[in-house]
Amino acid sequence: MAGQEWSAGSFAGGALCLDFANTQGGRDKTRDHERLPDYRAAIDWACAAEAVSEDEGRRLRGMARRVPAEAECNARDLRLFRECLYRVFSALAARHEAESEDDDCLRAAIAAALDTARLRRQLGRCDWKIDLDKAGLNTLLSRIALDAQQLLLGSEMPNVKECERCSWLFVDRSKNKRRRWCKAETCGNRTRASRHYQLTKA
């Protein structure tokens, strides 16, 4: 079966953790289109998202082949964490508090990621680096968790929004902060077409 193709349009979130949350979804608010059915698909996405290098992707595929049961468990954990991320950021974008169980899930993922991270100074600032040799198959989840922490605590958090038509999340970096859709050429056009149809039907 052909794998998922990742294009520039697959990465409309503006942050790694939001692009990850957007790997599930559909044309409306129903999150019924699964794009990460297994660990290999998750690696392919991570390479396209530049969350891992091509060399790291090859190494992770090799690990997954050697321990397929562990890779499958990790893929399941990634999907569960993705839905936790979606619920947290969706709630915060709507100016609501996240559910306590999602808060606990996210905090646990960040804490686990920090256990395998080391501090790195780069371009005049510091951040946490997840080494594949130490994190293994958990590299993807750990890097996404730390990206989520960075977004949650950073200055752009107030600009996180949820598409008015589908469930995708994005950082609104438009000049007037009035962006309404994940992508104007898809959800924006569908909304306008639907509105036009309703007006002509009436």
Side-chain angles (χ1 to χ4, degrees):
M1 184 173 64
Q4 170 72 43
E5 292 187 6
W6 304 101
S7 65
S10 303
F11 304 99
L16 178 67
C17 59
L18 300 186
D19 285 330
F20 178 63
N22 294 343
T23 60
Q24 171 88 322
R27 291 193 170 191
D28 54 26
K29 295 294 183 181
T30 304
R31 290 175 65 78
D32 58 357
H33 182 195
E34 176 58 72
R35 299 199 290 170
L36 299 181
D38 52 37
Y39 193 78
R40 183 179 180 85
I43 299 171
D44 291 344
W45 170 83
C47 286
E50 299 183 353
V52 299
S53 67
E54 289 299 325
D55 179 63
E56 288 176 321
R58 284 191 292 271
R59 292 173 62 193
L60 285 169
R61 291 184 188 97
M63 292 180 193
R65 284 193 297 270
R66 289 191 293 273
V67 286
E70 184 179 341
E72 182 53 37
C73 286
N74 198 282
R76 180 198 61 204
D77 291 343
L78 279 165
R79 290 191 294 268
L80 289 172
F81 180 58
R82 177 191 60 197
E83 295 312 298
C84 165
L85 274 182
Y86 167 70
R87 290 189 297 269
V88 167
F89 281 105
S90 177
L92 294 175
R95 305 299 187 262
H96 299 149
E97 293 292 326
E99 295 291 336
S100 59
E101 57 265 32
D102 291 325
D103 185 9
D104 292 343
C105 171
L106 180 54
R107 185 169 60 251
I110 292 171
L114 287 172
D115 277 345
T116 61
R118 63 180 177 85
L119 197 60
R120 175 184 62 179
R121 183 174 181 84
Q122 187 176 22
L123 300 177
R125 61 186 294 271
C126 291
D127 61 9
W128 293 105
K129 178 176 174 59
I130 300 294
D131 286 323
L132 186 147
D133 288 330
K134 190 171 183 180
L137 292 177
N138 290 321
T139 297
L140 304 187
L141 199 155
S142 294
R143 289 182 180 176
I144 294 163
L146 293 186
D147 184 77
Q149 180 191 44
Q150 185 177 34
L151 180 58
L152 284 165
L153 302 181
S155 61
E156 289 195 307
M157 183 59 224
N159 300 326
V160 172
K161 296 182 180 179
E162 183 172 341
C163 180
E164 290 186 8
R165 186 172 182 89
C166 75
S167 68
W168 276 24
L169 299 158
F170 60 89
V171 179
D172 183 359
R173 296 192 177 108
S174 65
K175 187 175 181 179
N176 59 12
K177 299 298 183 289
R178 292 183 179 177
R179 181 177 163 191
R180 299 168 58 190
W181 305 295
C182 58
K183 292 177 287 185
E185 66 273 20
T186 53
C187 283
N189 285 343
R190 288 173 191 144
T191 300
R192 287 186 285 268
S194 177
R195 186 183 302 124
H196 177 73
Y197 173 77
Q198 293 300 325
L199 287 172
T200 56
K201 182 181 178 182

